[in-house]
């Protein structure tokens, strides 16, 4: 028997919501999990690249693979051990770009393996295992459930989350550069601790952001898409981010410009033809840095992981 699922890409943080805000985008990976035909054949991991643009060679094909690790935790949860299993990942989500490719394969592997086992784990268990493997819940929650989610990993390892309707006319443009940034490196540049004023700044911006989405208030959203916890430390790793923020500040119908997850993709949130009006100037900034950039304007994906 084999099970295939389709999982959306995600963008996390949205500026102030470090490790807690995220939303799903319509780019998909497909993950298939099957019991291998020949007993004793062990673990087999195949990766099929849908798009030729992105390097997938860095993805481990053995027990260090995060999909395998997630599936192993699920089997342990139900009191079983993984023996012979074949995992096939059809990738379309750019790897190491801040678009939740790891979250998507973790969630996909778990959902498919759970189905193979007869669905012993409910959503709460899957979310908790996925967050444990990923390290934080902000990408895995929208990958599983779709839409705009806020999530919190609790002390007992469970994850609390809410899904809030995203305003229909707020669009996303992802600026995906031609270089990778490993999340571990992007996290290693963050300080061990931050000042109370910086923490308080983020607390109020994040609270404002959630209220802005809830009330669909674009003026409040413009004031909310700001951050002092991670972006100031990461901006030197992300070519053009500072220049882009300067360009887009106070432009009509641009709500904000933030790092997508840990980067290096940059996320611009806009209304109407706000992005189209500045697109040429945006392209020029990347050209000045000699960076090729895949620019895609997308709407939110309100559905999460689905069986294929
Ligand atoms: N919240 C995470 C970070 C997302 O910013 O490091 C990337 O996994």
């Amino acid at each position: 028997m084999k099970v295939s699922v389709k999982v959306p890409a995600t963008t996390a943080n949205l500026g102030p919501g470090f490790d807690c805000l995220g939303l799903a985008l319509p780019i998909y990976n497909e993950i298939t999990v099957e019991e291998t035909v020949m007993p004793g054949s062990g673990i087999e991991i195949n990766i099929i690249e849908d798009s030729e643009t992105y390097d997938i060679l860095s993805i481990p094909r053995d027990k260090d693979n995060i999909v395998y690790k997630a599936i192993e935790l699920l089997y342990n949860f139900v009191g079983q051990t993984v023996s012979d299993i074949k995992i096939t990942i059809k990738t379309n989500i750019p790897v190491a770009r801040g678009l939740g490719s790891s979250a998507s394969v973790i969630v996909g592997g778990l959902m498919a393996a759970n189905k193979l086992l007869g669905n012993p784990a409910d959503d709460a268990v899957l979310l908790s295992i996925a967050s444990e493997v990923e390290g934080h819940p902000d990408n895995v929650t929208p990958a599983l459930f779709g839409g705009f989610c806020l999530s919190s990993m609790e002390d007992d390892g469970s994850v609390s989350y809410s899904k809030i309707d995203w305003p229909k006319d707020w669009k996303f443009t992802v600026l995906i550069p031609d270089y990778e940034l490993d999340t571990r490196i992007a996290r290693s540049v963050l300080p061990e601790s931050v000042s109370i004023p910086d923490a308080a700044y983020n607390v109020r911006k994040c609270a404002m952001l959630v209220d802005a989405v809830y009330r669909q208030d674009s003026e409040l959203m413009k004031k909310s898409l700001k951050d002092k916890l991670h972006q100031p430390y990461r901006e030197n790793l992300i070519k053009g981010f500072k220049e882009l923020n300067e360009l887009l500040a106070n432009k009509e119908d641009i709500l904000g410009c933030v790092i997508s997850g840990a980067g290096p993709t940059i996320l611009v949130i806009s209304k109407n033809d706000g992005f189209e009006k500045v697109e040429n100037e945006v392209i020029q900034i990347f050209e000045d840095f000699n960076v090729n950039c895949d620019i895609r304007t997308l709407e939110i994906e309100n559905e999460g992981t689905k069986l294929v």
Side-chain angles (χ1 to χ4, degrees):
M1 185 182 167
K2 71 175 173 183
V3 179
S4 297
V5 298
K6 192 174 144 187
V7 193
T10 47
T11 180
N13 299 333
L14 283 99
F18 181 68
D19 278 1
C20 71
L21 298 183
L23 55 85
L25 294 171
I27 309 172
Y28 308 91
N29 279 347
E30 192 177 306
I31 295 94
T32 302
V33 177
E34 57 194 294
E35 291 152 349
T36 39
V37 190
M38 281 198 303
S41 53
I43 138 176
E44 183 184 333
I45 298 173
N46 298 309
I47 298 164
I48 304 163
E49 198 178 5
D50 252 15
S51 136
E52 286 171 12
T53 330
Y54 301 104
D55 174 30
I56 52 161
L57 294 175
S58 54
I59 301 172
R61 309 290 207 274
D62 55 17
K63 288 187 176 178
D64 284 335
N65 185 285
I66 47 173
V67 186
Y68 178 79
K69 285 185 179 169
I71 292 175
E72 197 174 34
L73 285 175
L74 175 67
Y75 273 66
N76 294 346
F77 170 79
V78 297
Q80 294 190 32
T81 46
V82 193
S83 49
D84 308 314
I85 201 156
K86 181 172 167 187
I87 302 165
T88 305
I89 304 170
K90 216 162 142 193
T91 70
N92 215 1
I93 302 173
V95 175
R97 296 302 198 290
L99 287 169
S101 70
S102 64
S104 90
V105 295
I106 291 168
V107 165
L110 281 173
M111 284 284 283
N114 193 41
K115 174 91 180 155
L116 266 186
L117 289 167
N119 289 322
D122 60 14
D123 283 349
V125 170
L126 296 177
L127 182 56
S128 164
I129 296 176
S131 302
E132 183 186 334
V133 177
E134 173 83 343
H136 32 83
D138 48 344
N139 290 98
V140 294
T141 309
L144 196 50
F145 304 117
F148 169 59
C149 299
L150 48 142
S151 42
S152 164
M153 181 122 73
E154 309 301 346
D155 292 341
D156 64 359
S158 65
V159 176
S160 310
Y161 79 95
S162 308
K163 192 169 160 179
I164 301 177
D165 285 345
W166 186 262
K168 284 196 174 48
D169 59 337
W170 294 3
K171 293 179 286 189
F172 309 95
T173 304
V174 283
L175 313 172
I176 313 170
D178 58 0
Y179 61 93
E180 294 187 358
L181 175 57
D182 190 319
T183 299
R184 284 167 297 190
I185 294 173
R187 288 183 88 85
S188 74
V189 300
L190 304 181
E192 288 270 311
S193 54
V194 295
S195 68
I196 287 282
D198 284 358
Y201 179 93
N202 265 63
V203 169
R204 58 182 187 265
K205 294 296 173 191
C206 190
M208 277 164 64
L209 190 154
V210 173
D211 189 44
V213 174
Y214 188 70
R215 293 194 292 111
Q216 317 212 346
D217 181 338
S218 29
E219 287 311 309
L220 189 61
M221 191 66 171
K222 282 184 194 171
K223 294 179 191 155
S224 310
L225 287 160
K226 314 275 180 204
D227 162 74
K228 288 194 178 180
L229 287 189
H230 67 110
Q231 294 188 166
Y233 307 100
R234 288 172 164 170
E235 65 184 15
N236 288 335
L237 300 173
I238 297 168
K239 295 172 194 167
F241 182 63
K242 262 185 284 188
E243 291 72 9
L244 214 59
N245 261 290
E246 280 159 24
L247 169 74
L248 299 178
N250 307 317
K251 286 273 198 272
E252 197 190 358
D253 289 333
I254 297 285
L255 306 190
C257 169
V258 292
I259 299 172
S260 177
T265 292
I266 296 171
L267 175 75
V268 178
I269 303 180
S270 64
K271 292 198 311 184
N272 305 320
D273 59 351
F275 185 78
E276 286 76 5
K277 283 189 286 197
V278 294
E279 184 161 5
N280 287 338
E281 289 167 275
V282 170
I283 292 170
Q284 187 57 52
I285 288 178
F286 285 104
E287 279 179 8
D288 292 344
F289 279 91
N290 277 323
V291 170
N292 284 319
C293 200
D294 178 2
I295 298 180
R296 304 189 205 177
T297 295
L298 307 165
E299 292 190 356
I300 196 165
E301 167 57 272
N302 277 312
E303 286 193 58
T305 301
K306 281 181 284 205
L307 285 174
V308 177

